[in-house]
Amino acid sequence: MKRQELLQNIEENQLREWDVIIIGGGATGLGAALDAVSRGYKPLLLEQSDFAKGTSSRSTKLVHGGVRYLAQGDIALVREALRERGLLQKNAPHLVQNEIFVIPGYKWWTKYYYTIGLTMYDLLSGKLSLGRSKPISKKETIRRLPTIEQKGLRGGVIYHDGQFDDSRLSVNLAQTINEKDGVALNYFEVTGLLKVNESISGVKAVDRETGKEYEFKGKAVINATGVFVDEIMKMDRGEHKEMVKPSQGVHLVLDKEFQPGEDAIMIPKTDDGRVLFAVPWHNKVVVGTTDTPLDEHSLEPVALEEEIEFILKTAQKYLAKKPTRADVKSVFAGLRPLAAPKEGDTKTKEISRSHKLIVSDSGLITITGGKWTTFRKMGEDTIDKAEKVAKMEGRKSTSESLKVHGYEEETNYKDPFYFYGSDREAVMDLAKEDAALNEKLHPDYEHIGAEVIWATRNEMARTVEDFLARRIRMLFLDARAAMDMAARVAELMAGELDYDQDWISNQINEFTTLANRYVLQEYKPKTVEIINSN
């Protein structure tokens, strides 16, 4: 997946009418483009920043049916999500693994109540079930969760769901789309819509790296920009009334010592009525999430102080080893694009996560809502709609069985490089070619220089942030370590992209400024001080 080759492709085909133009390179847009190529269409996907830069890299790392939606009675959404969970595990087993969740019980009825509910959860998953739910004793609960608060503990319930790496999946989806004759480009911003007789006929866009402007024609145009859908809809109709109200979810990342086992914890009802998860992920533990209505949105939302305190306080209630602010390795926030609630209603946790399709008078198709687990089905529904709106011939979707780039039948999740899937060997070959590329980027982590070269050559990483935040997940796992790695990463990327020392210095400084938003106390890596002093 080389950006220069893709640019050459669109330069040589300037007069082409694309089957579908998709605005947005998060889960929703990638799902639509994936489904389009599965039908043999040629989609053009344009992302203003990096793939999954926004909400789609900031999830709770779960591929799940949604136990909370089952409690709310949304059976249809849960059944659909459970089916999609099973399909995704089949199509991307190098990124989606079966995770056992434990619900600790502190009341006598907890085991019975949740066992009954979760048995229904299992039944709804049908043949794609990941395993049976069952009650467990106090002794077994402690064995599985050695750091759980034992005072008052009566036992627990276990159930199965999926755990995954969201932005790695995004990169692999973009690779799949490009391999299947579509074009997915990052750092390409849509600046306007083209119309013929008041009907959408394409988009205006600018390559943010070169500043070059383009016009692309398309039979159908899809707005899949998450919390930014209103901005695109305003390009279509200036008097558009905003339809999305963002809700912020925050996660804290802790060292594995706070939850040393392999199992995840699920607290079904916290003080704010939400579910709280503590999920093992890349040898760390992700704890979250909150649900806070916001009035504005951005690509880099910031965790509110009360959200951080809420998660810490709730985690302290259930963990014998009490996490404090000093223990937080990284804090990240994501925005959910929810339908704007009625006046005075702020209960965002009650709003369904099912997706919605809207077609404007001009033919602009907007997809909003939904969640990562159902991204493929959202894409299928969106392309179904595009076929009708654009009066296309109508082709059968085959995305249910489409293997995602990196697919391999067996994955060793203990291997620190497992998430490369079938690309792992090629990454390791780079390290064998040059001993310097086999050196660690940080003494505490296994990541090596060869990964930087691989991501720049084959995964369209364009900045230090692209690599440290979304190609490997270091910004989200240990923001201070990520800052320490930045100088070496910048140096390696500059060599690949033919950039100078000014670019290296700017990248290090920009990344350090950004990464300090992921820590609770400002951190200054020594490498930045050295570069600044020069």
Side-chain angles (χ1 to χ4, degrees):
M1 186 167 72
K2 302 180 190 301
R3 194 172 189 274
Q4 207 53 45
E5 289 179 8
L6 294 170
L7 280 175
Q8 193 176 334
N9 180 337
I10 62 173
E11 295 267 1
E12 291 171 357
N13 294 280
Q14 275 277 292
L15 300 177
R16 168 196 280 178
E17 183 180 40
W18 297 88
D19 292 320
V20 186
I21 296 174
I22 297 158
I23 311 168
T28 314
L30 291 164
L34 184 79
D35 196 76
V37 296
S38 87
R39 303 181 195 216
Y41 290 128
K42 294 190 188 311
L44 171 65
L45 180 147
L46 303 174
E47 163 55 46
Q48 67 169 337
S49 187
D50 186 28
F51 303 116
K53 158 69 176 174
T55 304
S56 297
S57 60
R58 301 157 188 271
S59 73
T60 314
K61 319 308 174 195
L62 302 180
V63 180
H64 63 142
V67 173
R68 177 159 56 92
Y69 311 133
L70 186 64
Q72 291 173 7
D74 199 340
I75 303 295
L77 176 63
V78 175
R79 183 188 286 114
E80 177 181 273
L82 286 170
R83 183 171 185 275
E84 292 301 316
R85 178 192 72 179
L87 292 174
L88 186 54
Q89 196 201 23
K90 283 179 177 293
N91 292 328
H94 62 299
L95 293 175
V96 181
Q97 54 185 294
N98 188 341
E99 181 71 67
I100 292 175
F101 288 74
V102 181
I103 302 177
Y106 293 89
K107 294 188 169 61
W108 67 268
W109 49 265
T110 304
K111 281 204 293 188
Y112 309 103
Y113 177 77
Y114 288 110
T115 299
I116 292 167
L118 289 164
T119 298
M120 183 184 286
Y121 194 65
D122 298 339
L123 292 171
L124 287 171
S125 62
K127 292 178 182 177
L128 294 170
S129 171
L130 299 182
R132 292 284 302 275
S133 303
K134 63 180 182 181
I136 56 174
S137 65
K138 176 180 177 179
K139 184 179 178 182
E140 176 68 0
T141 304
I142 294 167
R143 186 188 73 77
R144 288 179 174 276
L145 305 174
T147 53
I148 196 72
E149 178 56 66
Q150 295 182 24
K151 186 178 179 182
L153 183 69
R154 291 172 175 264
V157 179
I158 64 170
Y159 73 98
H160 295 252
D161 246 329
Q163 182 253 62
F164 83 134
D165 189 316
D166 44 18
S167 70
R168 284 301 312 176
L169 177 57
S170 300
V171 171
N172 286 167
L173 289 171
Q175 288 171 303
T176 308
I177 291 156
N178 287 317
E179 288 162 2
K180 299 286 181 184
D181 227 13
V183 172
L185 278 163
N186 56 4
Y187 295 100
F188 235 93
E189 183 175 1
V190 169
T191 55
L193 302 174
L194 300 175
K195 292 185 179 181
V196 174
N197 298 326
E198 297 303 309
S199 292
I200 294 283
S201 61
V203 302
K204 297 176 185 177
V206 61
D207 181 349
R208 290 182 58 192
E209 288 197 356
T210 63
K212 185 173 179 179
E213 296 178 346
Y214 294 81
E215 289 190 355
F216 300 111
K217 294 175 183 175
K219 295 173 188 171
V221 176
I222 294 164
N223 173 15
T225 53
V227 293
F228 296 96
V229 293
D230 286 316
E231 274 88 332
I232 304 299
M233 293 178 92
K234 281 174 187 170
M235 290 180 187
D236 181 36
R237 252 181 89 196
E239 69 274 20
H240 165 73
K241 184 183 176 184
E242 293 197 354
M243 55 171 283
V244 165
K245 178 85 170 174
S247 164
Q248 179 159 284
V250 166
H251 301 81
L252 305 183
V253 177
L254 304 171
D255 268 328
K256 197 84 169 74
E257 63 187 8
F258 288 92
Q259 191 177 323
E262 297 298 316
D263 299 343
I265 301 173
M266 196 273 257
I267 306 301
K269 198 161 187 180
T270 62
D271 293 342
D272 80 338
R274 273 194 67 79
V275 170
L276 187 95
F277 291 100
V279 183
W281 188 60
H282 291 306
N283 212 33
K284 292 282 190 287
V285 181
V286 178
V287 186
T289 177
T290 56
D291 202 331
T292 309
L294 296 182
D295 292 322
E296 55 187 35
H297 52 260
S298 71
L299 275 171
E300 276 296 338
V302 177
L304 302 175
E305 197 58 42
E306 55 263 37
E307 293 177 301
I308 295 166
E309 288 303 319
F310 171 77
I311 294 175
L312 282 173
K313 183 181 168 187
T314 308
Q316 288 164 359
K317 188 175 173 182
Y318 291 97
L319 294 176
K321 184 175 174 60
K322 312 296 182 190
T324 66
R325 293 176 68 88
D327 298 311
V328 176
K329 309 296 282 186
S330 183
V331 52
F332 61 92
L335 301 180
R336 305 178 190 91
L338 302 182
K342 294 171 187 170
E343 193 127 0
D345 183 6
T346 58
K347 294 183 179 176
T348 58
K349 63 179 176 291
E350 301 297 338
I351 297 174
S352 172
R353 295 300 195 262
S354 57
H355 58 278
K356 296 175 181 64
L357 276 162
I358 299 133
V359 181
S360 71
D361 293 340
S362 67
L364 176 68
I365 300 161
T366 296
I367 169 87
T368 187
K371 56 180 187 165
W372 245 122
T373 306
T374 55
F375 87 98
R376 189 213 63 82
K377 184 66 169 70
M378 290 164 66
E380 183 182 333
D381 291 351
T382 304
I383 301 303
D384 282 346
K385 182 66 75 177
E387 286 183 333
K388 289 175 185 170
V389 170
K391 297 181 172 59
M392 293 156 78
E393 63 199 78
R395 300 177 184 175
K396 183 174 170 53
S397 166
T398 61
S399 59
E400 279 193 11
S401 56
L402 184 58
K403 304 303 184 196
V404 174
H405 180 97
Y407 170 90
E408 58 179 2
E409 288 189 9
E410 290 186 17
T411 300
N412 176 14
Y413 298 114
K414 300 286 186 190
D415 184 331
F417 303 107
Y418 78 84
F419 54 87
Y420 287 109
S422 60
D423 285 337
R424 184 193 178 284
E425 195 173 326
V427 178
M428 295 302 110
D429 284 345
L430 279 174
K432 290 173 188 171
E433 290 169 16
D434 183 346
L437 296 181
N438 199 27
E439 291 174 7
K440 287 185 178 184
L441 296 171
H442 191 284
D444 296 342
Y445 294 94
E446 296 301 316
H447 295 295
I448 56 176
E451 293 177 84
V452 184
I453 305 301
W454 177 263
T456 310
R457 285 181 190 173
N458 302 295
E459 297 180 345
M460 229 186 283
R462 311 299 294 173
T463 68
V464 168
E465 182 200 335
D466 292 348
F467 177 75
L468 287 171
R470 290 173 293 278
R471 301 309 183 276
I472 68 172
R473 306 312 307 276
M474 195 48 57
L475 177 61
F476 289 78
L477 292 164
D478 187 339
R480 293 176 187 84
M483 286 186 250
D484 290 336
M485 293 179 177
R488 178 62 175 151
V489 172
E491 183 186 8
L492 288 167
M493 289 189 86
E496 277 296 302
L497 297 170
D498 198 23
Y499 287 137
D500 59 15
Q501 186 62 45
D502 284 346
W503 183 88
I504 293 173
S505 298
N506 288 336
Q507 280 289 303
I508 295 167
N509 288 327
E510 283 175 20
F511 182 76
T512 302
T513 300
L514 170 76
N516 265 302
R517 300 171 74 169
Y518 288 70
V519 294
L520 299 181
Q521 189 172 359
E522 189 177 1
Y523 179 72
K524 289 185 179 178
K526 290 174 184 174
T527 48
V528 175
E529 291 169 6
I530 292 166
I531 281 171
N532 285 340
S533 66
N534 289 339

